[in-house]
Amino acid sequence: MAKETRSGDAKVSKRASVDGGKKRKDPNAPKRGRSAYMFFSQEQRSTIKEENPDASFGDIGRLLGQKWKGLTDEEKKPYNDKAAADKQRYEEEKAMMSG
């Protein structure tokens, strides 16, 4: 177990300072698959901005969430299909990376 020392008011693990803390992400790793909601929000964000020009970033996110919740399963289907295809792409790229 790593020995802890005090640095100011915060506890600092000596191990974290030695090996840089958390594990570094591989820059060549494949991007994770996007969710159906992310495909929806990417497509609808500009429309929401046009309809609500004074809305803040948080307001736009809230409005997108409300619009997503109001969709039927049939209306969500194209986004779910895109998400499934993107997940498949991610799994294939991940398998290629591991050998």
Side-chain angles (χ1 to χ4, degrees):
M1 180 177 252
K3 185 176 179 182
E4 293 182 348
T5 59
R6 288 220 173 243
S7 174
D9 288 336
K11 280 187 174 181
V12 178
S13 168
K14 283 193 177 207
R15 180 175 196 127
S17 63
V18 170
D19 62 12
K22 71 180 199 176
K23 185 177 174 184
R24 301 268 184 231
K25 184 177 179 203
D26 180 2
N28 299 321
K31 300 273 189 209
R32 290 197 55 148
R34 285 185 281 166
S35 68
Y37 173 74
M38 290 307 295
F39 280 105
F40 167 79
S41 63
Q42 182 180 17
E43 185 178 289
Q44 296 294 317
R45 186 170 296 279
S46 61
T47 305
I48 296 291
K49 282 183 179 180
E50 288 173 10
E51 293 171 355
N52 304 281
D54 296 333
S56 68
F57 181 80
D59 291 337
I60 291 170
R62 182 178 45 78
L63 292 168
L64 282 166
Q66 289 173 346
K67 196 169 183 177
W68 175 253
K69 285 180 184 177
L71 294 180
T72 64
D73 287 343
E74 191 61 34
E75 291 170 324
K76 289 181 182 180
K77 186 177 182 341
Y79 304 108
N80 288 328
D81 292 343
K82 288 179 186 178
D86 201 34
K87 182 177 181 179
Q88 180 67 30
R89 176 220 33 99
Y90 170 69
E91 293 296 330
E92 289 171 3
E93 288 180 10
K94 189 170 79 169
M96 287 176 53
M97 289 287 295
S98 64

